[in-house]
Amino acid sequence: MQGFVDVIQGFLDLGATVILPVAIFLLGLLFGQKPGKAFRSGLTIGVAFVGIFLVVDLLVNNLGPAAQGMVDRLGVELNVIDVGWPATSSIAWASVVAAFIIPLGLVVNVVMLVTKTTKTMNVDIWNYWHYTFMAALVYAISGSIIQGLIAAVLFQIVCLKVADWTAPMVSDFYELPGVSIATGSTISYAPGIFLVRLLQKTPIIKKWDADPDTIQKRFGIFGESIFIGLFLGAAIGLLAGYSAGEVIEIGMAMAAVMVLMPRMVKILMEGLMPVSESAREWLSKRFGEREIYIGLDAAVLLGHPAVISTALILVPITVVLAVILPGNALLPFGDLATIPFIVAFIVGGARGNIVHSVIVGTVMIALSLYMATDVAPIFTEMAINTDFNMPEGSTKISSIDQGGNLVNWIIYKLFSLFN
């Protein structure tokens, strides 16, 4: 069993830039593409994800230290440390249930496609770690592998159904036809779409509009996404107490993110469209006219400037929320740089309205802080059982990504009732 786990872990360690091209190549062959064409599609998507993750690293490596600077300046002292998604995923894959998740997840997805209970063919196997964490969490409270796997399947089903529901928005607003997003951290914020709709019907507030196009019309050249990135990045640097040179540096980094990310997404679509068309043709011949979505990493949604703008504004807001919310014990840190991923559906639901997105994002993140605080004891126990190196001086850990995941928390509470 351990050998199988090691093989799975070795494959996952290759990352999305290898796993996705392999999956796309195999899908292309399955749907009747010639090997050369299928290989080119997979390779193009791999190149696009290399570019996307380079830009994401640029974002994370600049935003993470700045967020830490804000926390230090405020002198926040909370006893639960947000260790971020990388640490969370390592804790998940170290669980005894991990070996079952990928084969089980693939079977569940195929069964749902055949039974027409989903339209999403999720090739984002790398992000199956979210299902693994769900299984590990329930296993930790029950000691039952079966219960853990049932919890993972429930989580996956919710992810696929939310992916189906939001796919039209992904196609229309993000201009990614045939794509859906089933990433566990992103789908947990999908309920924010209902709050957005409420704001859009609320007197006065519904008129507050600040999408990138409106900003550009109002401010001319200074309203372009490259300048928005520069200004917001510089503001983050100032809040972090950076020197003048460091403020300019982080401003330039955020400007680069705004410009480069959309270009990487265009390369991604160049590789994806041939496979998507082949899939439709193959399915229509065998099952009649049927819509099918290809599930990808939520990173492809970061190409819209409103997503990054909203996230940059929410970083200092999250730190302030952690200080002022009564009962919160989570010190946000590791997952502050992942805020673009978790608010992408909210921004899409708001049609890029940054004001509405920030308001709803604030509410959802506040809930995440409370949920992450609530699961901290069991989260910490899971980490200790997997010999995780606890952050120096910390007694408890959790994360906004999965500890503060709404769907995860609901399923966890459901299983807690009879364990």
Side-chain angles (χ1 to χ4, degrees), residues 16-17 47-65 85-86 126-127 253-254 256-262 264-265 297-304 307-308 312 334-342 401:
T17 55
V47 169
F49 266 96
V50 168
I52 286 172
F53 286 124
L54 283 174
V55 180
V56 168
D57 285 343
L58 179 66
L59 172 70
V60 171
N61 292 337
N62 282 274
L63 198 53
W85 73 263
W126 185 71
N127 268 314
M254 295 306 106
V257 169
M258 289 287 204
V259 173
L260 295 175
M261 189 63 83
M264 297 302 106
V265 174
D297 191 296
V300 301
L301 304 184
L302 271 58
H304 200 286
V307 175
I308 303 297
L312 291 178
D335 276 329
L336 284 173
T338 66
I339 290 177
F341 293 85
I342 61 179
D401 186 308

Side-chain angles (χ1 to χ4, degrees), residues 74-117:
L74 285 172
V76 183
E77 292 185 6
L78 298 167
N79 66 350
V80 179
I81 306 297
D82 170 18
V83 292
W85 73 263
T88 305
S89 64
S90 68
I91 292 169
W93 287 121
S95 170
V96 297
V97 298
F100 303 98
I101 297 301
I102 289 183
L104 179 63
L106 292 173
V107 169
V108 169
N109 198 172
V110 170
V111 169
M112 291 184 68
L113 283 167
V114 170
T115 58
K116 298 183 179 180
T117 49

Side-chain angles (χ1 to χ4, degrees), residues 164-177:
D164 291 343
W165 174 53
T166 54
M169 176 262 288
V170 170
S171 175
D172 181 33
F173 178 74
Y174 287 103
E175 299 180 348
L176 297 171

Side-chain angles (χ1 to χ4, degrees), residues 74-414:
L74 285 172
V76 183
E77 292 185 6
L78 298 167
N79 66 350
V80 179
I81 306 297
D82 170 18
V83 292
W85 73 263
T88 305
S89 64
S90 68
I91 292 169
W93 287 121
S95 170
V96 297
V97 298
F100 303 98
I101 297 301
I102 289 183
L104 179 63
L106 292 173
V107 169
V108 169
N109 198 172
V110 170
V111 169
M112 291 184 68
L113 283 167
V114 170
T115 58
K116 298 183 179 180
T117 49
T118 187
K119 299 178 182 179
T120 293
M121 181 182 298
N122 189 17
V123 300
D124 186 21
I125 299 171
W126 185 71
N127 268 314
Y128 274 31
W129 77 263
H130 293 99
Y131 312 154
T132 307
F133 183 83
M134 180 76 263
L137 187 65
V138 170
Y139 174 75
I141 62 172
S142 67
S144 167
I145 292 178
I146 298 299
Q147 287 191 41
L149 296 180
I150 291 172
V153 170
L154 289 175
F155 190 88
Q156 181 181 7
I157 291 171
V158 173
C159 287
L160 291 172
K161 298 304 288 186
V162 172
D164 291 343
W165 174 53
T166 54
M169 176 262 288
V170 170
S171 175
D172 181 33
F173 178 74
Y174 287 103
E175 299 180 348
L176 297 171
V179 172
S180 65
I181 306 299
T183 306
S185 52
T186 305
I187 65 97
S188 74
Y189 274 59
I193 296 174
F194 297 108
L195 295 180
V196 166
R197 291 175 181 172
L198 179 63
L199 289 184
Q200 290 170 339
K201 296 178 181 179
T202 304
I204 301 176
I205 297 178
K206 66 181 180 181
K207 296 180 180 179
W208 296 351
D209 190 8
D211 62 82
D213 289 338
T214 303
I215 293 172
Q216 186 169 350
K217 288 177 183 177
R218 185 169 299 176
F219 296 99
I221 188 174
F222 293 105
E224 294 178 9
S225 60
I226 188 171
F227 285 102
I228 294 174
L230 176 67
F231 295 145
L232 289 177
I236 292 284
L238 290 171
L239 290 172
Y242 280 3
S243 65
E246 290 172 324
V247 167
I248 295 172
E249 186 177 351
I250 191 174
M252 286 298 298
M254 295 306 106
V257 169
M258 289 287 204
V259 173
L260 295 175
M261 189 63 83
R263 285 160 172 72
M264 297 302 106
V265 174
K266 286 181 181 178
I267 296 173
L268 172 80
M269 292 308 297
E270 180 186 329
L272 186 64
M273 288 312 296
V275 178
S276 183
E277 290 301 322
S278 297
R280 287 191 182 89
E281 291 175 9
W282 189 88
L283 289 167
S284 64
K285 288 178 182 178
R286 290 160 178 79
F287 305 104
E289 289 296 326
R290 184 179 171 191
E291 196 170 24
I292 191 77
Y293 307 126
I294 296 179
L296 294 178
D297 191 296
V300 301
L301 304 184
L302 271 58
H304 200 286
V307 175
I308 303 297
S309 300
T310 299
L312 291 178
I313 295 170
L314 282 171
V315 167
I317 289 176
T318 302
V319 175
V320 172
L321 284 174
V323 176
I324 65 173
L325 287 176
N328 170 64
L330 183 77
L331 176 65
F333 174 55
D335 276 329
L336 284 173
T338 66
I339 290 177
F341 293 85
I342 61 179
V343 299
F345 279 169
I346 293 173
V347 175
R351 307 294 302 174
N353 187 324
I354 297 171
V355 175
H356 290 172
S357 299
V358 169
I359 293 173
V360 173
T362 300
V363 174
M364 296 299 293
I365 287 174
L367 293 175
S368 285
L369 291 173
Y370 281 125
M371 290 183 288
T373 298
D374 182 54
V375 302
I378 192 67
F379 196 117
T380 305
E381 181 185 324
M382 290 166 58
I384 293 172
N385 289 340
T386 58
D387 296 324
F388 176 77
N389 291 323
M390 296 284 286
E392 186 177 350
S394 64
T395 57
K396 292 181 183 179
I397 62 171
S398 189
S399 75
I400 293 175
D401 186 308
Q402 283 300 283
N405 184 299
L406 178 60
V407 180
N408 197 349
W409 185 80
I410 290 173
I411 295 175
Y412 160 70
K413 285 298 184 182
L414 176 65

